[in-house]
Structure formats: C-alpha cells, structure tokens
Amino acid sequence: MINESAVFWSRVLTEITLSFHIIYATIGVGIPLMIMIAQWVGYKSGDEHYILLARRWARGFVITVAVGVVTGTAIGLQLSLLWPNFMQLAGQIIALPLFLETFAFFFEAIFLGIYLYTWDRFDSQKKHMLLLIPVAIGASMSAVFITIVNAFMNSPQGFDVVNGQLVNIQPLLAMFNPAMPTKVAHVLTTAYMTSAFVLASIAGYRILRGSDHIYHKKALYLLMKLGFIFSVATIGVGDFSGKYLAEYQPEKLAAAEWHFETEAGASLVLFGILEDGKVKYSIKIPWGLSILAHNNPNAEVIGLDQFPEDEIPPLYIHYLFNIMVFIGIFMTALTLVYLVAKWRGWVFVQSKWYNWLIVAGGPLSIIAIETGWWLAEVGRQPWILRGIMRTEEGATTSDGVDMMLILFCLLYILLAIGSILALHRMFKENSIEREIADRTAAKGGDLV
C-alpha cells in the first residue's frame, strides 16, 4: 500500500539532502586535483607561491571533507529509511559499488592525513607531492563508484526478474551498464571544472578587495587555465550524453528539449514557455536536436508522442537543461577570453567588471551543478529504477518523514553555517600576507 504523504516528503527530503551534499561532494572530488597540480607547478618551477597555494587549499579542503562525510552518511541512512523497497530490490545488486565507494574514501582519507601532517618533513617537495596522487585518485574513484549506482538506476541490467524475485545477479555487468561511461565522465569533468571556478572566484574576490599580491594573480591565472580545459571537456562529454539519451532514455531527452512529436531534422528548442500545449517565445536552432542526438541533421528523433502520458518526465526539466548548458557555455567563453587577453596583453581582463564576472563564476558553477543533478534525477521520473520500479513503489509507507525533514534541514543549516565560519576564521587568522612573511623569515629570503 502506497502512502502518498510519505512518498512526497521522502522525495523532498532526498532532494534537499542530495542538493546540499552535491556541493561538498563536487568540491571534494575536484579540489584534490587542484592541490596536486598547484604543488606540481610549484615543484617544477621552483615557485613557492604555488606550494603555498597547495598548502592553503589543503587546509580548507579538510573542512569540506568533514561536512561531506556527514551528508554522505545522511544519504546512506535515508536510502534505508526512506526507500526500503528500493534497497530491498536493488541493494543486493549495487552493494559492490557502494562498498567500493567506502573503500575509496578511506583510501583517500588515510593519505590525506599523512599529506597534511608531513608538511616540511620531506627533503624534497616531490616526495611530499606523491602523497597527493592516492588522495586525488581516491576522491575521483569515490565519485566513480557512487555515480555507477546512479547510472544503474537509469539503465538497470545484470539480473533477471522471475516471479518477482531477482535471479542470475551479475554485479559487474550491473556496474558497467550503458549509462555508466557518460555519467561518470560528466560527473568527473564537472567536478574538476566547478572546483577550478570556485577557487578562481575566491582569487578574483581577493583581488577586487584590494589585495594586489602576486599570489592571487598566479592562482587566478592557473585556475582559469584549468577551468577552460575542464569546461571544454565537459562540453564534449555533454555531447556524448545527448547521444546516450537518444538511444537509451529518449523520453528524458524529448522532455528536456520539449520535443513533442517524432520527426526527422528536429530543431533544438531553447527557453520558451508552454501555452495550451504549444511552445511560444522560444529560440529554435534548425536541425540542432538531430545533430545532438545522432550527428546527422536529417536523423529522426523520438518525441514524447511515443510514450504513455504517465511515463513522461516533468516538462520543467527543459529549463534545468537550459540553465546548465548556458552557464557552461558562459564559463567556457569567460575563460577563453581571459586566456586570449593574457596572451595578447589586453588589460580589460584586469578591470573590476571583468573580475566581478570571474567572482560570479563560482556561484554560477554551483548552480549549474545543482540544475544538472536535478535534471538527471527528475528526468528519470516516474522511475526510481527505470522500467522496473516506480518511485512511489520504492518509498517507505511509514509516517513521520515530515518530522525527519525538519531535523535534517536543521542539521544542514548548522553544517553550512559552521563550515562557512570555520573557513572564514581559518583564512582570516592566517592571511596570505602573514603566511608569506612567516615562510620568508623561515627560509631567510624572499619567496620567488
């Protein structure tokens, strides 16, 4: 028996939890790579500013890891409490990637602890830098394994259902499902891209606040280069994701693109509103959807007319798709202009208005991550396990989920405030000017 109230509140609580967790999880995946690259650049160039970059980023990273652990634990708890029917069915199949995700996190945490407590204890920065390799690998593999679970929910395979029971379970086949390559690649590239833009936003803000120290300028230049590389990679992966959807989840693609009727040479619809079943005030790119879906301007693209009404995802995901894509394009263009301007010697990128665009890039990237995640999850509806179990069938039938929602929201508010205050106090009491002065005195000369 389905408890509609429990289903509704379970969905709300899960969405809030994932929306909060994804911020810290994304940073937790991308920052270790940024730290490793900064320290490598410092080691290769002999520039202490980049070593200091790595050191300060690592300190802040610890705070985000701590919050990510709490919210990740909350997700595991909620899977069991809010979605018991789903876990009873799918848990025996997805247990392997869930276990491997935990193992990858411990692998990362062990080496992160060693890395943090061995600063200045090695005779070579190279030896200390090598500790970051397992940290970065562990962080990325955590994302890989948990994304595999999500990919399985979109494209379940590796088992048979006989008389309502799962038989012939093949965990590895379930893990390497059709959705896995594009989803894993998209999560990793967007995590690296977002982390670069968040850190660049901080550097840009410090410059706007009047800090003219070369440290911030070097940080900004490095991060804008990395942001450009990973944003271009994200666009490429996004193209492959569109082709995956066209083949395996055409209803999600059709809903996201407001493609109502199956046709060849389909146009790509941007923005617009729906009035009486008609799309108005939109921007249409001729043949764009056919090219996105099949790399052929004359290819036929399946429309929503081919699916039962109760299996069509909510049509508002169209706006989520538009927001995600346009932020990605904006950030790619922003970094490209910055890099070309640096190469050509154009000074307008040093102006306040351009630095404000860079500062805005951090929050915009977080918004893109959120809308992309909502698109992925809402676009799978009405299924929690596509084609096998509907969302309402997987939810708890118990009451009291609304009270859980209040308690968890209070927890997330405290975690958000606590992490922001901790990071602010950490870097306020250890300003870059003070830290450079201390390290200069310790080394007996200027940092170069």
Side-chain angles (χ1 to χ4, degrees):
M1 181 177 178
I2 295 174
N3 184 334
E4 293 185 2
S5 175
V7 173
F8 174 77
W9 291 116
S10 294
R11 292 186 65 181
V12 171
L13 177 53
T14 303
E15 181 177 8
I16 291 174
T17 300
L18 289 174
S19 297
F20 185 72
H21 174 72
I22 197 66
I23 298 173
Y24 292 90
T26 298
I27 293 173
V29 172
I31 294 295
L33 183 63
M34 303 298 113
I35 297 171
M36 186 173 70
I37 291 174
Q39 192 158 347
W40 180 79
V41 171
Y43 163 72
K44 294 294 291 184
S45 64
D47 192 330
E48 281 283 342
H49 287 123
Y50 292 103
I51 303 297
L52 197 53
L53 267 178
R55 188 167 191 154
R56 289 171 64 83
W57 290 348
R59 290 178 190 156
F61 175 62
V62 174
I63 305 297
T64 62
V65 167
V67 177
V69 170
V70 176
T71 54
T73 303
I75 291 173
L77 179 65
Q78 290 173 20
L79 280 174
S80 299
L81 293 178
L82 304 181
W83 309 101
N85 298 329
F86 166 73
M87 290 302 294
Q88 183 179 7
L89 176 69
Q92 52 192 313
I93 308 170
I94 61 176
L96 179 58
L98 287 174
F99 166 77
L100 291 174
E101 191 274 337
T102 303
F103 176 80
F105 169 74
F106 282 118
F107 182 73
E108 172 196 359
I110 289 170
F111 282 94
L112 177 61
I114 298 173
Y115 173 80
L116 291 172
Y117 286 101
T118 53
W119 275 103
D120 301 323
R121 295 177 184 269
F122 286 94
D123 57 358
S124 169
Q125 283 290 345
K126 180 179 181 181
K127 295 178 182 178
H128 187 238
M129 180 183 63
L130 292 176
L131 291 170
L132 285 170
I133 296 176
V135 174
I137 291 175
S140 295
M141 292 309 296
S142 290
V144 168
F145 291 127
I146 205 65
T147 304
I148 285 175
V149 175
N150 183 265
F152 170 78
M153 295 166 69
N154 286 273
S155 183
Q157 67 174 31
F159 62 93
D160 295 316
V161 180
V162 179
N163 298 324
Q165 301 294 320
L166 297 184
V167 297
N168 302 325
I169 296 174
Q170 303 177 62
L172 290 179
L173 184 60
M175 288 176 62
F176 292 95
N177 57 77
M180 187 273 288
T182 54
K183 276 195 167 293
V184 166
H186 195 70
V187 165
L188 290 179
T189 54
T190 53
Y192 302 147
M193 177 191 72
T194 302
S195 297
F197 287 143
V198 167
L199 292 174
S201 177
I202 296 171
Y205 179 74
R206 294 304 304 162
I207 293 173
L208 278 171
R209 287 295 300 269
S211 178
D212 196 40
H213 203 285
I214 190 65
Y215 167 91
H216 297 298
K217 295 179 179 178
K218 289 180 179 180
L220 182 59
Y221 185 53
L222 172 65
L223 291 165
M224 293 295 275
K225 286 191 290 185
L226 294 175
F228 175 72
I229 292 170
F230 290 120
S231 60
V232 170
T234 298
I235 291 174
V237 172
D239 179 66
F240 288 116
S241 297
K243 290 167 177 55
Y244 159 78
L245 291 177
E247 182 173 356
Y248 293 98
Q249 289 182 275
E251 73 282 5
K252 180 188 283 190
L253 180 65
E257 301 294 348
W258 281 359
H259 183 59
F260 295 99
E261 296 181 2
T262 302
E263 63 178 347
S267 299
L268 187 67
V269 177
L270 304 175
F271 301 109
I273 60 173
L274 285 176
E275 288 186 359
D276 301 323
K278 301 292 185 180
V279 180
K280 296 183 178 181
Y281 314 114
S282 64
I283 301 172
K284 292 187 177 181
I285 302 177
W287 308 290
L289 186 56
S290 292
I291 294 173
L292 173 67
H294 302 290
N295 272 345
N296 182 347
N298 298 312
E300 181 179 83
V301 181
I302 298 174
L304 292 175
D305 58 335
Q306 300 298 309
F307 303 96
E309 188 174 346
D310 65 344
E311 293 185 8
I312 294 176
L315 295 180
Y316 72 80
I317 66 173
H318 172 73
Y319 296 114
L320 300 178
F321 176 79
N322 287 171
I323 292 170
M324 177 189 68
V325 169
F326 272 85
I327 290 177
I329 293 174
F330 171 76
M331 294 307 301
T332 304
L334 185 70
T335 52
L336 177 61
V337 170
Y338 178 88
L339 296 176
V340 171
K342 283 291 186 181
W343 174 53
R344 299 291 296 179
W346 299 337
V347 297
F348 73 88
V349 293
Q350 300 174 20
S351 63
K352 284 190 175 182
W353 67 267
Y354 201 89
N355 268 282
W356 275 118
L357 292 179
I358 294 172
V359 172
L364 286 174
S365 298
I366 296 296
I367 292 173
I369 285 289
E370 294 285 11
T371 53
W373 189 250
W374 296 336
L375 170 65
E377 295 303 289
V378 177
R380 191 181 60 249
Q381 300 307 311
W383 307 101
I384 190 172
L385 194 59
R386 185 177 181 270
I388 297 175
M389 177 181 282
R390 288 178 175 265
T391 301
E392 62 266 22
E393 296 171 345
T396 181
T397 58
S398 301
D399 294 321
V401 181
D402 50 349
M403 182 57 66
M404 287 181 58
L405 172 65
I406 295 173
L407 295 175
F408 273 104
C409 284
L410 289 175
L411 172 64
Y412 302 148
I413 291 172
L414 290 175
L415 288 173
I417 294 174
S419 60
I420 292 171
L421 290 177
L423 288 168
H424 180 264
R425 183 172 181 178
M426 176 186 295
F427 290 108
K428 183 178 181 181
E429 293 183 355
N430 295 278
S431 66
I432 183 60
E433 290 80 8
R434 176 180 175 180
E435 192 155 354
I436 286 178
D438 290 344
R439 287 181 65 80
T440 299
K443 289 180 173 292
D446 291 334
L447 290 181
V448 294

